[in-house]
Amino acid sequence: MRVGVLTGGGDCPGLNAVIRAVVRKGIKDYGYEFVGFRDGWRGPLEGDTMPLDRAAVSGILPRGGTILGSSRTNPIKIEGGVERIKDNLAGLGLDALVAIGGEDTLGVARQLSDADVHVVGVPKTIDNDLNATDYTFGFDTAVNIATEAIDRLHTTAESHHRALIVEVMGRHAGWIALHSGMAAGANVILIPERPFDIDEVVAHVESRFKTRYAPIIVVAEGAHPKAGQMELATGERDAFGHVRLGGIGQRLAEEIESRTGKEARSVVLGHVQRGGTPSAFDRVLATRLGVHAIDAVHDKDFGKMVALQGTDIVRVELSAATDKLKTVPVERYQEAEVFFG
Amino acid sequence: MRVGVLTGGGDCPGLNAVIRAVVRKGIKDYGYEFVGFRDGWRGPLEGDTMPLDRAAVSGILPRGGTILGSSRTNPIKIEGGVERIKDNLAGLGLDALVAIGGEDTLGVARQLSDADVHVVGVPKTIDNDLNATDYTFGFDTAVNIATEAIDRLHTTAESHHRALIVEVMGRHAGWIALHSGMAAGANVILIPERPFDIDEVVAHVESRFKTRYAPIIVVAEGAHPKAGQMELATGERDAFGHVRLGGIGQRLAEEIESRTGKEARSVVLGHVQRGGTPSAFDRVLATRLGVHAIDAVHDKDFGKMVALQGTDIVRVELSAATDKLKTVPVERYQEAEVFFG
Amino acid sequence: MRVGVLTGGGDCPGLNAVIRAVVRKGIKDYGYEFVGFRDGWRGPLEGDTMPLDRAAVSGILPRGGTILGSSRTNPIKIEGGVERIKDNLAGLGLDALVAIGGEDTLGVARQLSDADVHVVGVPKTIDNDLNATDYTFGFDTAVNIATEAIDRLHTTAESHHRALIVEVMGRHAGWIALHSGMAAGANVILIPERPFDIDEVVAHVESRFKTRYAPIIVVAEGAHPKAGQMELATGERDAFGHVRLGGIGQRLAEEIESRTGKEARSVVLGHVQRGGTPSAFDRVLATRLGVHAIDAVHDKDFGKMVALQGTDIVRVELSAATDKLKTVPVERYQEAEVFFG
Amino acid sequence: MRVGVLTGGGDCPGLNAVIRAVVRKGIKDYGYEFVGFRDGWRGPLEGDTMPLDRAAVSGILPRGGTILGSSRTNPIKIEGGVERIKDNLAGLGLDALVAIGGEDTLGVARQLSDADVHVVGVPKTIDNDLNATDYTFGFDTAVNIATEAIDRLHTTAESHHRALIVEVMGRHAGWIALHSGMAAGANVILIPERPFDIDEVVAHVESRFKTRYAPIIVVAEGAHPKAGQMELATGERDAFGHVRLGGIGQRLAEEIESRTGKEARSVVLGHVQRGGTPSAFDRVLATRLGVHAIDAVHDKDFGKMVALQGTDIVRVELSAATDKLKTVPVERYQEAEVFFG
């Protein structure tokens, strides 16, 4: 059996651990051969491959990023894309494909599966907002990095009687903000799922300034105030679609300074959160997902995605990945709220 | 309502996070007062207390250890111990007790509960071998520390063509060995649940020496060879019951040297694994357990233990903690085995 | 003898280690009493003090920030400021003052010394740009933090074929950029001491994009292009004097995107660089400086500053701190330049 | 010009950074070709080489260990060893050799230099005990690792009222013990340069047990009691010359337990101290040494060793490396002593 492997979407600590597990288990237990596709769906679309044997995956377990490269190429949106992929897979003599990626990548995998391509998916998102899996790899690493950064900021906040706003990743879901904020003892946590009341935020900040500890606010990049409350940046974007200036963290710092008369600074952790060596949790999770993905291939259980439920790796329909976003439930936010102020 | 809090057994990163969560939530949402007992069950037994208000728990979230101190005092084994505890609790005007600890501590809690003391338990064991909870806090931190150490040892092993044996915690269960070994890419993982065949271990080591990567073996302190295979240390013990010399890691190093003629060194990580600041995962888990423990007190749902199941914190009977040990199932070990050699 | 202690200017990992060393050595070897002044020069100006005995400094060695608080209050600029300080010191029965701070703080110390106040200075600047000392504490910690962040960004850069620009601290001197850039293998390092040629930078980026490794640029916040080369942000500043938008890192990202047509992202490490636990190097340096500062007080060698030269702590004139800035010499930059591209 | 490179002796974080700097600078600025010798002096002795071009050194900067491998082979002790090396160098068309290593490796380099081989040395020892250089790379990394471990042990010591003894590297010199002990706030530091008085050590431990903080002792592996004071292990050694049982840390723990009646545990950090990614300080130092080593080759300034003096890299005679050991001076130990107890 010959199996192709690709990684799509934003990079995420643990991708290499999945690739290594898929390949080592596939070779050792099933005698498979593997072909690596470069840069996500661009690889099978253009037939761009790289060797993927034991030597290729040696030593990659602790390394962040992906040896296969990644991209956001979407073959569905390309005229004849699906057919070209099927042709390329056939031309390479591939019997199956392991696709590692997030909502978009797995959405494509699902459509290919509907078109009779033998695909098994492995869920990936640093934001932890994929349904049907308790956690995605990369998330724990990101939370650890954010937590360590906030730990560091505490001492600066205390020494200078200054509010610090830490903007973390999370466009649609506040998981990283919730976990890193709880872990690092933030005084306020703001998440996209729950528009915030700027008056309440300022009240927390004011009350905190009365103690010897200065306030730390953790805010997800996608958080926003209640309608009409605070003028947000117009969202000037560059050619690649990134907001250039005036993200929510910076806006909050300005607002707090102007309302309280105390200094406030924002820190945007940015890409540091998604790079580097994965945490032990993410390495174990990624390795287990890889092992189970190739088992699914071996069982010819295609059209499925492997997922974590409790401490078990299970198989669910690929559609479960794209059904709906997993957002922070209200009870989880309330658990954190008791520590505010 | 007045509530006592104690921590028993070996220390574990996250204990302070639980204490802080219990106290902050109890004060803020329920208006409770708290009393800290010193050094596990010795505290209520001798009426040794310390103040436990908001100031006492300020800043302790990221700190390892326990501000309450700990001990292995067991009041059940002391004549009249249970009665003395009941008297002391009554004398202090306490309505309930939150007991944070492992099998022993929660076993005492259960017996006190049977004797009509209002107790809620919070499970704690660095070894992750408590039943009824998916994970215990402290475990993730220990696995991260062990993984980082093994990552470091890889470079030494490779540069010197030398086998390295890393002995990690785990007397009865191999969870730390399994997770850190998987996370760090060990070539062999040996756990108490599965007596090892020394010939197989040596064969893995030999095959590894043929590559440019030297072998790394992770061994739980409680692992042992198949019956009759390898003479183990006689287990000379000091006055405190600790094996002084010739732990399993060292014995393996000797055996591998004598059988392969190649250098082998053992490293015993020891207490470094259970100290210091908790990982983000453990801080979140510990905080959530604390929040839910005080909720159980508020609900007068005594005789219960809070536990992690999937991503939820649930309540189970205190007896669930002591029913049986949670050991590594054979399927989990097999997932790792594919990476051996 | 009674001695006052204060910390001024921006916070810096190692301040608490200095305070602890001054106090412990002073009490143990000389039997001194200590008084802590709050928030830099504001403390002696307003007579705002806190107890500073052995208990106060217990456990602070590994903690970032300063238990004394800090500020940028400058008594020289306040009418009658020097007299008020002298009066307050006399009123508190203080015989000497240990002032820990950067150029500004030590400049005040020097003027007080000229006005017959018994002062010993301890140099502090995260930027490492104080003359007369080989290194200042805090710098090594900042370099480690920046290096770890750049290590992490490497994997993202490689997986996405994207240029990453990391803006680090350093308004007037490029030490943090030079050291973290060398340590993390940056492809270009830009420092304030040397206006850069944007064409050369883009050429390095282009050549790097031809390999499988994407370019990483480390830029000090004070770096700038050659005259007329690149339009810089107008430097919109907030009420506290901080540039709000369009720092050099972001501007470079925009310029590189528009010139190369490839994605470029900037990360501003900001205050994370100056918070949290000090590195071992900084703890040792800070402790040694504290020990030697109180020795200077004991020797009545006032008007001096302690400094690191080679592996020795020496005493130099306070004026040496403010004489001139220690910038990166051209030879040091050339050592790094060989790795560019 | 063709240049050989080798690494000898124990591995040390920063070796790869030196190799990379030598090769990149040599190729880029001087157009040299390089040949890597495997496993220290075994390489040139047996003519065992590996390619050493830009690709070979790509990505190795942050990696511990040495891509060239290492050994303790000593050609001086081998009949005709020097001649064989000269023949092999000539046969490979090599004009010069860069030898990276400690006292032994550089001692061989010196003898080869006396025999007209063109050698430049780069000093390396994790123990920091090489004369003529302020610091050796690897030392700072080891101190950071030991410090982090001791930080972690503090919380265990405090929670359990238990003495902890941490044995760190340092056979002949106590630099790692001194720096990590100072950095982590140890209560006693024991070094080989100064035989300790066990009664004093026990007195410090006793006094510390009276506070709520338990004692931490850092002991260099080569430290020993005053003559006749404490029976040391007989030093049972294995075939490779390593003491198997009863190192100084363990002996101290036993002695303290039996004298104080309190629990004491020892932790031997072992090889973890010398593995893994180098600290930023060591990466910068190693890179600078490599750059200057190849400059010395270019200047035909053979028989020299590059060294750090203050912030400068200078050239000294190779003999300076082997003249005498750099041990901890009494004044440095006294600086630490004020924190004991």
Side-chain angles (χ1 to χ4, degrees):
Chain A
M1 184 118 121
R2 281 167 62 81
V3 181
V5 183
L6 66 83
T7 55
D11 72 318
C12 197
L15 284 169
N16 282 327
V18 179
I19 297 168
R20 168 181 174 268
V22 164
V23 171
R24 287 193 59 144
K25 167 103 183 179
I27 291 172
K28 193 165 177 185
D29 282 9
Y30 305 130
Y32 291 171
E33 285 178 11
F34 289 90
V35 169
F37 285 110
R38 288 187 198 276
D39 302 339
W41 291 111
R42 194 188 64 72
L45 197 66
E46 302 179 4
D48 190 358
T49 66
M50 60 177 275
L52 200 57
D53 53 14
R54 268 192 71 134
V57 301
S58 178
I60 68 172
L61 169 60
R63 286 171 46 197
T66 161
I67 57 167
L68 297 176
S70 189
S71 74
R72 297 198 183 275
T73 301
N74 187 336
I76 307 297
K77 297 181 178 166
I78 293 170
E79 177 77 25
V82 171
E83 282 315 302
R84 275 167 59 193
I85 286 180
K86 291 184 76 165
D87 288 351
N88 283 330
L89 295 179
L92 290 159
L94 294 177
D95 308 288
L97 190 61
V98 174
I100 311 163
E103 209 185 345
D104 292 345
T105 304
L106 299 180
V108 173
R110 186 188 173 188
Q111 296 203 37
L112 287 175
S113 180
D114 291 345
D116 293 325
V117 175
H118 293 165
V119 192
V120 168
V122 179
K124 179 232 62 155
T125 153
I126 201 113
D127 289 348
N128 197 39
D129 58 359
L130 257 182
N131 224 2
T133 187
D134 281 1
Y135 293 104
T136 45
F137 62 86
F139 170 66
D140 184 66
T141 304
V143 171
N144 272 312
I145 294 169
T147 299
E148 197 193 311
I150 305 168
D151 277 356
R152 291 195 174 277
L153 294 171
H154 267 293
T155 61
T156 264
E158 288 164 24
S159 302
H160 287 287
H161 319 293
R162 169 196 284 167
L164 278 163
I165 294 94
V166 186
E167 184 181 315
V168 299
M169 288 184 306
R171 292 199 184 180
H172 308 295
W175 291 108
I176 293 179
L178 179 74
H179 278 240
S180 64
M182 266 187 122
N187 305 107
V188 181
I189 299 169
L190 305 176
I191 60 175
E193 291 87 339
R194 185 155 158 155
F196 59 84
D197 183 320
I198 185 66
D199 299 323
E200 277 178 23
V201 172
V202 170
H204 283 309
V205 168
E206 297 271 17
S207 75
R208 185 76 179 177
F209 267 127
K210 285 174 193 148
T211 71
R212 74 184 182 95
Y213 298 104
I216 303 263
I217 299 175
V218 175
V219 55
E221 59 184 323
H224 48 87
K226 288 187 172 167
Q229 274 215 330
M230 206 176 97
E231 202 179 334
L232 271 182
T234 52
E236 181 189 335
R237 281 166 190 278
D238 66 15
F240 295 86
H242 316 309
V243 175
R244 272 297 182 206
L245 305 173
I248 184 66
Q250 193 169 287
R251 279 292 294 118
L252 269 170
E254 291 163 359
E255 195 76 15
I256 288 170
E257 281 199 352
S258 76
R259 285 188 182 221
T260 67
K262 298 271 171 89
E263 252 188 291
R265 302 277 181 91
S266 73
V267 171
V268 183
L269 293 183
H271 287 79
V272 174
Q273 291 163 90
R274 65 189 320 141
T277 195
S279 70
F281 182 97
D282 282 335
R283 295 188 197 179
V284 172
L285 174 55
T287 298
R288 296 185 69 200
L289 289 172
V291 162
H292 285 263
I294 200 67
D295 280 352
V297 168
H298 183 72
D299 293 344
K300 302 194 191 311
D301 197 4
F302 300 116
K304 294 286 170 56
M305 170 180 101
V306 286
L308 178 72
Q309 288 184 2
T311 59
D312 295 323
I313 307 293
V314 299
R315 297 175 194 165
V316 299
E317 297 299 318
L318 264 174
S319 55
T322 50
D323 267 0
K324 70 185 183 69
L325 215 59
K326 183 179 66 180
T327 53
V328 175
V330 66
E331 316 83 63
R332 289 298 309 276
Y333 190 72
Q334 284 167 344
E335 281 175 17
E337 236 171 345
V338 74
F339 300 100
F340 288 6
Chain B
M1 185 117 119
R2 282 167 62 81
V3 181
V5 183
L6 66 83
T7 55
D11 73 316
C12 198
L15 284 169
N16 281 327
V18 179
I19 297 168
R20 168 182 175 267
V22 165
V23 171
R24 287 192 60 145
K25 167 103 182 179
I27 292 171
K28 193 166 178 183
D29 282 8
Y30 305 130
Y32 291 170
E33 286 178 11
F34 289 90
V35 169
F37 285 110
R38 288 188 198 275
D39 301 340
W41 290 112
R42 194 187 64 71
L45 196 66
E46 303 180 4
D48 191 0
T49 65
M50 60 177 276
L52 199 56
D53 53 12
R54 267 192 71 135
V57 301
S58 177
I60 68 172
L61 169 60
R63 286 173 45 198
T66 160
I67 58 167
L68 297 176
S70 189
S71 75
R72 297 198 183 276
T73 301
N74 187 336
I76 307 297
K77 297 181 178 166
I78 293 170
E79 179 74 25
V82 172
E83 282 315 302
R84 277 168 59 193
I85 286 181
K86 291 184 75 166
D87 288 351
N88 283 330
L89 295 179
L92 290 159
L94 294 177
D95 308 289
L97 190 60
V98 175
I100 311 162
E103 208 185 346
D104 292 345
T105 304
L106 299 181
V108 173
R110 185 189 174 186
Q111 296 203 36
L112 287 175
S113 181
D114 290 346
D116 293 325
V117 176
H118 293 166
V119 192
V120 167
V122 179
K124 178 233 64 156
T125 153
I126 201 113
D127 288 349
N128 198 40
D129 58 0
L130 258 182
N131 224 1
T133 187
D134 281 2
Y135 293 104
T136 45
F137 62 87
F139 169 67
D140 184 65
T141 304
V143 171
N144 272 313
I145 294 170
T147 299
E148 197 194 311
I150 305 168
D151 278 357
R152 292 196 175 276
L153 293 171
H154 268 293
T155 61
T156 265
E158 287 164 25
S159 302
H160 288 285
H161 318 294
R162 168 195 285 167
L164 278 163
I165 294 94
V166 187
E167 185 181 314
V168 299
M169 288 185 305
R171 292 197 184 181
H172 308 295
W175 290 108
I176 293 179
L178 179 75
H179 278 240
S180 64
M182 266 187 122
N187 304 108
V188 182
I189 299 170
L190 304 176
I191 60 175
E193 291 87 340
R194 185 156 158 152
F196 59 84
D197 183 321
I198 185 67
D199 299 323
E200 276 179 23
V201 172
V202 170
H204 282 311
V205 168
E206 297 271 18
S207 76
R208 187 74 178 180
F209 268 127
K210 286 174 193 148
T211 70
R212 73 185 183 95
Y213 297 104
I216 303 263
I217 299 175
V218 176
V219 56
E221 58 183 325
H224 48 86
K226 287 187 173 169
Q229 274 214 333
M230 205 175 97
E231 202 180 332
L232 270 183
T234 52
E236 182 189 334
R237 281 166 191 278
D238 66 14
F240 294 88
H242 316 310
V243 175
R244 271 297 181 205
L245 306 174
I248 184 66
Q250 194 169 284
R251 280 292 296 117
L252 269 170
E254 290 163 0
E255 194 77 15
I256 288 170
E257 280 199 354
S258 76
R259 286 190 183 219
T260 66
K262 297 271 172 90
E263 253 189 290
R265 303 277 182 90
S266 73
V267 172
V268 183
L269 293 183
H271 287 79
V272 175
Q273 291 162 89
R274 64 189 321 140
T277 195
S279 70
F281 182 97
D282 282 337
R283 295 189 198 179
V284 172
L285 174 55
T287 297
R288 296 184 68 200
L289 289 171
V291 162
H292 284 263
I294 200 66
D295 280 352
V297 169
H298 184 70
D299 293 345
K300 301 194 191 309
D301 197 3
F302 300 116
K304 295 285 170 57
M305 171 180 101
V306 286
L308 178 71
Q309 288 184 3
T311 59
D312 295 324
I313 307 293
V314 299
R315 296 175 196 166
V316 299
E317 296 299 319
L318 263 174
S319 55
T322 50
D323 269 359
K324 69 185 185 70
L325 216 60
K326 183 180 67 180
T327 53
V328 175
V330 64
E331 316 83 61
R332 289 298 310 277
Y333 190 72
Q334 284 167 344
E335 281 176 16
E337 236 170 345
V338 74
F339 300 101
F340 288 5
Chain C
M1 186 117 120
R2 281 167 63 82
V3 182
V5 183
L6 66 83
T7 55
D11 73 318
C12 198
L15 284 169
N16 282 327
V18 179
I19 297 168
R20 169 182 175 268
V22 164
V23 171
R24 286 192 60 143
K25 168 105 181 177
I27 291 172
K28 192 166 178 184
D29 282 9
Y30 305 130
Y32 292 170
E33 285 179 12
F34 289 91
V35 169
F37 284 112
R38 288 187 197 276
D39 301 340
W41 291 111
R42 194 187 64 70
L45 197 66
E46 303 181 4
D48 190 358
T49 66
M50 61 177 274
L52 199 57
D53 52 13
R54 268 192 70 134
V57 301
S58 177
I60 68 172
L61 169 58
R63 286 172 46 198
T66 161
I67 57 166
L68 297 176
S70 189
S71 75
R72 298 198 182 276
T73 301
N74 187 337
I76 308 297
K77 296 182 179 166
I78 293 169
E79 179 74 25
V82 172
E83 283 315 302
R84 276 167 60 192
I85 286 181
K86 291 184 77 166
D87 289 351
N88 283 332
L89 295 178
L92 290 159
L94 294 177
D95 308 290
L97 190 60
V98 175
I100 310 162
E103 209 184 347
D104 293 344
T105 304
L106 298 180
V108 174
R110 186 189 174 185
Q111 296 204 37
L112 288 175
S113 180
D114 290 345
D116 294 325
V117 175
H118 293 166
V119 192
V120 167
V122 178
K124 179 233 61 156
T125 153
I126 200 114
D127 288 348
N128 197 39
D129 58 0
L130 257 182
N131 224 2
T133 188
D134 281 3
Y135 293 103
T136 45
F137 63 86
F139 170 66
D140 184 65
T141 304
V143 171
N144 272 313
I145 295 170
T147 299
E148 197 192 312
I150 305 168
D151 278 356
R152 290 196 176 277
L153 294 171
H154 268 294
T155 59
T156 265
E158 288 164 24
S159 302
H160 288 287
H161 319 294
R162 166 196 285 168
L164 277 162
I165 293 94
V166 187
E167 184 181 314
V168 298
M169 287 185 306
R171 291 198 184 181
H172 308 294
W175 291 109
I176 293 179
L178 180 74
H179 278 239
S180 64
M182 265 187 122
N187 304 107
V188 181
I189 298 170
L190 304 176
I191 61 176
E193 292 87 340
R194 186 158 159 151
F196 59 83
D197 183 321
I198 186 67
D199 299 324
E200 277 179 22
V201 172
V202 169
H204 282 310
V205 168
E206 298 269 17
S207 76
R208 186 75 178 179
F209 267 128
K210 286 173 191 146
T211 70
R212 74 184 181 95
Y213 297 104
I216 303 264
I217 298 174
V218 176
V219 57
E221 58 184 325
H224 48 88
K226 288 187 173 166
Q229 273 215 333
M230 206 175 95
E231 202 179 332
L232 271 182
T234 53
E236 181 190 335
R237 282 169 188 277
D238 65 16
F240 296 86
H242 316 309
V243 175
R244 272 296 180 206
L245 306 174
I248 184 65
Q250 193 169 287
R251 280 292 295 118
L252 270 169
E254 291 163 359
E255 195 77 16
I256 288 169
E257 282 199 352
S258 76
R259 285 189 183 221
T260 66
K262 298 270 171 91
E263 252 189 290
R265 302 279 180 90
S266 72
V267 172
V268 183
L269 293 184
H271 287 80
V272 174
Q273 291 163 89
R274 66 188 319 140
T277 195
S279 70
F281 182 96
D282 282 336
R283 294 189 198 179
V284 172
L285 174 55
T287 297
R288 295 186 69 201
L289 289 172
V291 163
H292 284 263
I294 200 68
D295 281 352
V297 168
H298 184 70
D299 293 345
K300 300 195 193 309
D301 197 4
F302 298 117
K304 295 285 170 56
M305 169 180 100
V306 287
L308 178 72
Q309 289 183 1
T311 59
D312 296 324
I313 307 294
V314 300
R315 295 175 196 167
V316 300
E317 296 299 319
L318 263 175
S319 55
T322 50
D323 268 1
K324 70 186 185 70
L325 214 61
K326 183 178 68 180
T327 53
V328 175
V330 64
E331 315 84 61
R332 290 297 310 279
Y333 190 72
Q334 284 167 345
E335 282 175 17
E337 236 171 346
V338 73
F339 300 101
F340 288 6
Chain D
M1 183 115 123
R2 280 167 63 82
V3 182
V5 183
L6 67 83
T7 55
D11 72 318
C12 198
L15 284 168
N16 282 328
V18 179
I19 297 167
R20 168 180 174 268
V22 165
V23 171
R24 286 193 59 144
K25 167 104 181 178
I27 291 171
K28 192 165 177 185
D29 282 9
Y30 305 129
Y32 292 170
E33 285 179 12
F34 289 90
V35 169
F37 285 110
R38 287 188 198 275
D39 301 339
W41 290 112
R42 194 186 66 71
L45 196 68
E46 304 181 2
D48 190 359
T49 66
M50 60 177 275
L52 200 56
D53 53 13
R54 267 192 71 132
V57 301
S58 177
I60 69 172
L61 169 59
R63 286 172 47 197
T66 160
I67 57 166
L68 297 176
S70 189
S71 75
R72 298 199 182 275
T73 301
N74 187 336
I76 308 296
K77 296 181 178 166
I78 292 169
E79 179 74 26
V82 172
E83 283 315 301
R84 277 167 60 194
I85 286 180
K86 292 184 75 166
D87 289 352
N88 283 331
L89 295 179
L92 290 159
L94 294 178
D95 307 288
L97 190 61
V98 175
I100 310 163
E103 211 185 344
D104 292 345
T105 304
L106 299 181
V108 173
R110 187 188 173 188
Q111 295 203 37
L112 287 175
S113 181
D114 291 345
D116 294 326
V117 176
H118 293 166
V119 191
V120 168
V122 179
K124 177 232 65 154
T125 152
I126 200 116
D127 288 348
N128 198 38
D129 58 0
L130 258 182
N131 223 1
T133 187
D134 281 1
Y135 292 104
T136 44
F137 62 85
F139 169 67
D140 184 66
T141 304
V143 171
N144 272 314
I145 295 170
T147 299
E148 196 193 313
I150 305 168
D151 278 357
R152 290 195 176 277
L153 293 172
H154 268 293
T155 59
T156 263
E158 287 163 25
S159 302
H160 288 286
H161 319 294
R162 169 195 284 167
L164 278 162
I165 293 94
V166 186
E167 185 181 314
V168 299
M169 288 185 305
R171 291 198 185 181
H172 308 294
W175 290 108
I176 293 179
L178 179 75
H179 278 240
S180 65
M182 265 187 123
N187 304 107
V188 182
I189 299 169
L190 304 175
I191 61 175
E193 292 87 341
R194 184 157 161 152
F196 59 83
D197 184 319
I198 185 67
D199 299 323
E200 277 178 23
V201 172
V202 170
H204 282 310
V205 167
E206 298 270 20
S207 75
R208 185 76 178 177
F209 267 127
K210 287 174 192 147
T211 70
R212 72 183 185 95
Y213 297 104
I216 303 262
I217 299 174
V218 175
V219 56
E221 58 183 325
H224 48 87
K226 288 188 174 168
Q229 275 216 331
M230 203 175 97
E231 202 180 332
L232 271 183
T234 53
E236 182 190 334
R237 282 168 190 278
D238 66 16
F240 296 87
H242 316 310
V243 175
R244 272 296 181 206
L245 305 175
I248 184 64
Q250 193 169 286
R251 279 292 295 117
L252 270 169
E254 290 163 359
E255 195 76 15
I256 287 170
E257 281 198 354
S258 76
R259 286 189 182 221
T260 66
K262 298 271 172 88
E263 253 190 289
R265 302 280 181 88
S266 73
V267 172
V268 183
L269 293 183
H271 287 80
V272 174
Q273 291 163 89
R274 66 190 317 143
T277 194
S279 70
F281 182 97
D282 282 336
R283 294 189 197 178
V284 171
L285 174 56
T287 297
R288 295 186 68 202
L289 289 171
V291 162
H292 284 263
I294 200 67
D295 281 351
V297 169
H298 184 70
D299 293 345
K300 299 193 193 311
D301 197 3
F302 299 116
K304 295 285 170 55
M305 170 179 99
V306 287
L308 178 71
Q309 288 182 2
T311 59
D312 296 324
I313 306 294
V314 299
R315 296 174 195 168
V316 299
E317 297 299 318
L318 263 175
S319 55
T322 52
D323 268 0
K324 69 185 185 69
L325 215 60
K326 183 179 68 180
T327 53
V328 175
V330 64
E331 315 84 60
R332 290 298 309 277
Y333 189 72
Q334 284 167 345
E335 281 175 17
E337 236 169 347
V338 73
F339 300 101
F340 288 6

